[in-house]
Amino acid sequence: MAYRAFVVDKDGDDFTASVQTLEESALPRGDVTVGVEWSDLNYKDGLACTPNGRVVTSYPMTLGIDFAGTVVESSDSRYAPGDAVVATGYDLGTGHPGGYAERVRVPADWLSPRPEGLSAEEAMTLGTAGITAAMSIDAIEKAGIGPDAGPVIVSGATGGVGSTAVAMLAARGYTVHASTGKAAEHDFLRELGASEILDREELSAESRRPLESERWAAGIDPVGGPTTATMLRQTKYGGLVAVSGLAGGVAIGTTVMPFILRGVSLVGIESVYWPGEDRPRLWARMAEDFSGANLLDLVEARIGLEDVPEAGARILAGGVRGRVLVQPS
């Protein structure tokens, strides 16, 4: 059976990105074959669309680090044809053909059952961004920081991780402060549950002070760079900053003072190879957090495979609000 896929290829300096029709024999070895209903667009997908993104490890490669769909064939007893599944991370879309295709074949350990009541479209509104946000909130909760501890600051709040984190924190009763450089999106963030909006420059400004006034009980930071340093200087005693991104830079100009004088923790969030046995728990928790809410309000656009390069360029330029969904069919 032939299927459509968005494929990038590179030979020396020659780079191509196109929609191709492939035969099923092109699928790699794996335990489970899935008919993909929806995928999504993440910053990493945007990088993979470029010749110098440095995330794709072999070419040619079908992109898409996430997918949701229905099992077509399975040699693993955990999954049967007709089962609704979701997958994020691992080597999808970088070293193993990913979700920008009508069909994928993966190891069974990479899959999670899709929670009842969560459609494939809703699951991809969450995707890697949702898992990353959920892991960040999980780290905050495990540190004993509850809604009564004070506000939580979210950087890059109109992006995938940020917007999902704002909505999830608000659903759990936290007071949420959101940082963005997009003045036109303040209403969007308030609708998600943010009670205070900060300009991005306020969080990314350099400072020679090792500590500043305590403002937040915790922070969720998918931006990195100077933003992380500001969060650390302004986090309350015993607080925590969960960092998961690098759009703002990879270097952090800080001191040991937040750690040794206020007991602040800096926690790294890595969702790509996070153990598969724990993923269903957070998928179920996300489904619970958004139960009764219109999760699809987070969606900015729904695109086809042909539109991936343009959307990839937009997300790298910071021009995406919320989530972009990709429908391979």
Side-chain angles (χ1 to χ4, degrees):
M1 174 181 173
Y3 65 97
R4 298 172 73 244
F6 180 79
V7 181
V8 296
D9 200 1
K10 188 176 183 181
D11 183 8
D13 293 331
D14 294 329
F15 179 84
T16 60
S18 62
V19 180
Q20 301 181 14
T21 299
L22 305 176
E23 295 299 322
E24 190 152 350
S25 58
L27 290 172
R29 291 182 178 181
D31 307 313
V32 186
T33 303
V34 179
V36 178
E37 297 166 37
W38 288 95
S39 184
D40 57 28
L41 181 75
N42 300 279
Y43 193 85
K44 191 173 183 179
D45 296 307
L47 289 174
C49 288
T50 68
N52 299 312
R54 298 183 179 180
V55 294
V56 176
T57 58
S58 64
Y59 292 94
M61 181 55 59
T62 298
L63 300 190
I65 66 171
D66 299 340
F67 68 82
T70 303
V71 173
V72 177
E73 297 176 354
S74 175
S75 61
D76 189 283
S77 60
R78 289 170 288 180
Y79 297 101
D83 286 351
V85 294
V86 62
T88 65
Y90 294 100
D91 289 330
L92 285 170
T94 58
H96 184 102
Y100 292 172
E102 293 176 314
R103 288 209 168 196
V104 296
R105 183 175 292 144
V106 296
D109 288 343
W110 292 10
L111 295 171
S112 295
R114 196 169 78 232
E116 286 189 22
L118 193 69
S119 69
E121 188 177 15
E122 290 171 328
M124 287 297 95
T125 303
L126 295 166
T128 284
I131 285 288
T132 303
M135 290 177 66
S136 301
I137 297 170
D138 201 46
I140 291 170
E141 292 177 335
K142 286 179 177 176
I145 302 169
D148 294 337
V152 176
I153 179 69
V154 179
S155 67
T158 60
V161 175
S163 59
T164 310
V166 169
M168 292 175 68
L169 286 164
R172 298 185 189 193
Y174 286 88
T175 299
V176 186
H177 293 180
S179 167
T180 182
K182 303 172 185 175
E185 305 298 350
H186 288 199
D187 288 344
F188 167 70
L189 291 173
R190 290 192 177 95
E191 289 171 4
L192 293 181
S195 62
E196 185 174 328
I197 315 294
L198 288 75
D199 187 87
R200 177 173 57 202
E201 298 302 320
E202 186 175 344
L203 278 190
S204 60
E206 299 284 354
S207 174
R208 293 185 178 181
R209 297 180 178 179
L211 291 172
E212 297 179 27
S213 297
E214 299 179 51
R215 300 180 66 180
W216 302 294
I220 293 179
D221 178 29
V223 174
T227 296
T228 309
T230 300
M231 283 190 180
L232 290 169
R233 291 193 303 269
Q234 298 182 1
T235 296
K236 293 182 178 183
Y237 187 93
L240 178 147
V241 174
V243 61
S244 60
L246 47 69
V250 297
I252 303 174
T254 190
T255 70
V256 299
M257 296 303 190
F259 310 114
I260 66 173
L261 295 184
R262 288 185 181 162
V264 174
S265 298
L266 178 62
V267 176
I269 302 299
E270 196 289 316
S271 64
V272 176
Y273 296 108
W274 175 50
E277 60 267 19
D278 200 31
R279 293 179 184 238
R281 176 180 66 87
L282 285 195
W283 275 110
R285 183 65 188 270
M286 287 190 289
E288 178 184 335
D289 283 348
F290 287 104
S291 176
N294 192 359
L295 181 57
L296 299 181
D297 284 346
L298 289 169
V299 178
E300 180 204 69
R302 296 165 177 82
I303 65 173
L305 295 179
E306 295 83 359
D307 305 313
V308 166
E310 184 275 333
R314 278 202 306 122
I315 199 170
L316 292 181
V320 169
R321 182 197 80 173
R323 302 292 281 145
V324 173
L325 303 188
V326 180
Q327 190 170 35
S329 296

